[in-house]
Amino acid sequence: AAGARVVVGSGTDPARQADARLGHAAIVAAVTRCEESNLQVVLAASRRRSGRPLRAVAHATRSFAEMFETRPPFTRIVDGKECGFFDHDVAASRLLVSQYAAELVPDLISAQRPPQVLLAGDGDILPELLGVVVTQCQYAGADVPRIDLVIVDADAFAREFPLPHPQLGFVADLHLHVKPLPLVLRLDLAELRSDVHDQPYDLAIVACRDDIDTLTLARNLAQQTGRVRRDIVAGLRPSTQVLRLFIDEQPLVGMQSHDL
């Protein structure tokens, strides 16, 4: 209906690649949930002989991309063909945090205090969100950001973000809280931090693998009056039925939802 040509099938199937005109496309973006399939599509595009310029990118996590980005065809541009990786969690994190971090500047500069940040949930985007918060929430005249990280699986998180890094304390005052998901969804901020009434969170971002869990957690936090200075930021998975319900208006008072 939008005028796009749709080919149904596996992106790694040479017949379907031919149907999709992979050999002539100027831009190829492989965005399936399978990183290996994305890699195969980009490699197939890089081997074509059409002589046309090509920009081909595969969606993959940082840990996966690091294994291949130092090897051909990702190391250099050859015959007008440029191949690379991208992670939409990285892009979403940068956009999301930059939007809200800028709003904190007046209060933090005038009070000369560090930002108080809460990140909670079990979503795959949380390691990237933490990395971006650490880099973007550094303010002149203020101490390093105080970050409470509430997650379900510390080992899985540490595979994407270096939690035990010896120099992390120089850039963030990080407090890690590991809880089962039911307790995360019922999170009591007063139990998490005894001083939360005196120093409410300046920014609270929640993201879970399931959108209903995200909304449940956001609603719970939004009802804890006086413990977060601004609306709770809720990250919803792209193109989901839940997200479509809230295109024109926010679902809950005290919450801002975003398409990750």
Side-chain angles (χ1 to χ4, degrees):
R5 183 167 176 267
V6 179
V7 176
V8 179
S10 171
T12 60
D13 182 349
R16 300 289 76 77
Q17 292 175 358
D19 291 342
R21 299 183 287 229
L22 183 70
H24 301 279
I27 298 173
V28 174
V31 293
T32 75
R33 295 188 178 185
C34 177
E35 295 169 316
E36 293 181 11
S37 295
N38 296 339
L39 177 63
Q40 289 182 47
V41 171
V42 169
L43 292 177
S46 72
R47 291 192 289 265
R48 73 186 194 185
R49 304 293 184 186
S50 67
R52 298 182 178 221
L54 168 70
R55 168 72 170 147
V57 289
H59 169 255
T61 59
R62 193 190 308 275
S63 57
F64 183 91
E66 286 175 348
M67 294 188 290
F68 298 95
E69 59 189 4
T70 58
R71 300 167 56 185
F74 301 98
T75 52
R76 60 188 184 277
I77 301 176
V78 179
D79 297 330
K81 292 181 286 191
E82 181 180 0
C83 301
F85 292 94
F86 79 98
D87 184 343
H88 58 60
D89 285 340
V90 174
S93 299
R94 290 173 179 169
L95 290 170
L96 198 60
V97 175
S98 63
Q99 175 177 341
Y100 289 95
E103 298 177 1
L104 308 183
V105 172
D107 289 345
L108 298 177
I109 295 300
S110 62
Q112 295 289 289
R113 63 174 180 81
Q116 312 278 339
V117 181
L118 171 69
L119 301 176
D122 66 345
D124 295 334
I125 194 175
L126 283 173
E128 294 298 342
L129 275 173
L130 176 59
V132 175
V133 164
V134 168
T135 57
Q136 293 196 13
C137 290
Q138 307 284 344
Y139 299 91
D143 203 351
V144 297
R146 155 74 190 250
I147 304 171
D148 281 295
L149 176 65
V150 185
I151 56 176
V152 173
D153 188 338
D155 291 336
F157 195 99
R159 286 194 289 270
E160 300 297 331
F161 184 93
L163 288 173
H165 196 288
Q167 294 182 322
L168 182 59
F170 291 110
V171 291
D173 179 15
L174 179 64
H175 299 259
L176 177 64
H177 311 270
V178 181
K179 301 174 179 291
L181 184 59
L183 293 184
V184 172
L185 301 183
R186 298 194 300 269
L187 186 64
D188 186 339
L189 298 180
E191 292 182 1
L192 203 65
R193 270 183 49 202
S194 59
D195 64 341
V196 71
H197 285 293
D198 300 324
Q199 292 289 335
Y201 290 103
D202 299 292
L203 177 62
I205 303 177
V206 301
C208 297
R209 293 173 182 168
D210 186 282
D211 283 347
I212 299 301
D213 288 342
T214 300
L215 293 176
T216 300
L217 176 55
R219 181 174 182 271
N220 167 39
L221 298 180
Q223 291 177 331
Q224 299 182 41
T225 307
R227 297 175 185 173
V228 182
R229 299 179 191 274
R230 293 168 174 79
D231 287 353
I232 310 300
V233 180
L236 302 179
R237 294 182 301 115
S239 304
T240 58
Q241 295 296 330
V242 171
L243 181 66
R244 293 189 183 101
L245 297 175
F246 307 128
I247 290 176
D248 297 323
E249 60 183 46
Q250 292 300 324
L252 300 169
V253 175
M255 189 192 95
Q256 295 291 326
S257 63
H258 290 269
D259 176 0
L260 295 177

